[in-house]
Amino acid sequence: MTTKTKYRVGALTASVLAIAGIKAHEGYRAAPYHDVGKVPTVGYGSTRYENGAKVQIGDQPVTRERAESMLRAHVAKDEARLRELLPGVQLSQAEWDVYVDFAYNFGIPAFSKSSIRRELLNGNHTAACRALLKYRFAAGRDCAVRTNGCYGVWQRQLDRYKKCMDANQ
């Protein structure tokens, strides 16, 4: 697959690069911790286990292998929902990876009501890319401001935006 050829979303799955990107951005932590939004998180940014149970701060640490299993289970669920939310939409592999990463980070509910989704349903791929930049807040803080303690959220959005725009030029 090339990065610019468009495919039905039903034919796409997260690439090895997408999974590696999520792992790199999230980082690995064996013991549960609170993320920037104060949500209990473990492994590679997972807030739920493979069975859907929520992570709790007092839970046992997870191995890297378990963290990867949790990540892949989460991505598989997100991909199924993204396919439902984008009927008839065609995306490049790079775009799909961007939106899978977005859903992993911000959640399917955020994606489902986003202008990103609306623009994709209307066939406006570059407008959808631009809409990614609206998502720069975490826990009520503007993450584009370095001193707000969440600048990595903004950096990740800029990375998604660049990948998305590159796939549409």
Side-chain angles (χ1 to χ4, degrees), residues 26-35 39-49 54-57 59-63 66-67 70-71 104:
E26 294 289 346
Y28 165 74
R29 285 186 168 177
Y33 64 96
H34 284 109
D35 70 7
V39 177
T41 306
V42 72
Y44 294 109
S46 294
T47 58
R48 293 185 179 270
Y49 293 101
K54 289 184 176 183
V55 171
Q56 303 294 322
I57 288 299
D59 291 349
Q60 293 295 310
V62 298
T63 63
R66 174 94 189 270
M70 292 165 62
L71 165 68
Y104 188 84

Side-chain angles (χ1 to χ4, degrees), residues 20-98:
I22 292 170
K23 288 169 71 173
H25 282 290
E26 294 289 346
Y28 165 74
R29 285 186 168 177
Y33 64 96
H34 284 109
D35 70 7
V36 72
K38 306 291 186 229
V39 177
T41 306
V42 72
Y44 294 109
S46 294
T47 58
R48 293 185 179 270
Y49 293 101
E50 302 93 329
N51 65 2
K54 289 184 176 183
V55 171
Q56 303 294 322
I57 288 299
D59 291 349
Q60 293 295 310
V62 298
T63 63
R64 285 185 188 273
E65 293 76 20
R66 174 94 189 270
E68 174 121 6
S69 174
M70 292 165 62
L71 165 68
R72 289 184 182 278
H74 186 154
V75 166
K77 287 177 186 171
D78 285 352
E79 285 186 304
R81 288 291 293 129
L82 285 171
R83 287 184 193 97
E84 292 171 7
L85 292 167
L86 297 172
V89 173
Q90 293 193 349
L91 298 172
S92 68
Q93 181 66 55
E95 288 173 294
W96 180 253
D97 288 350
V98 161

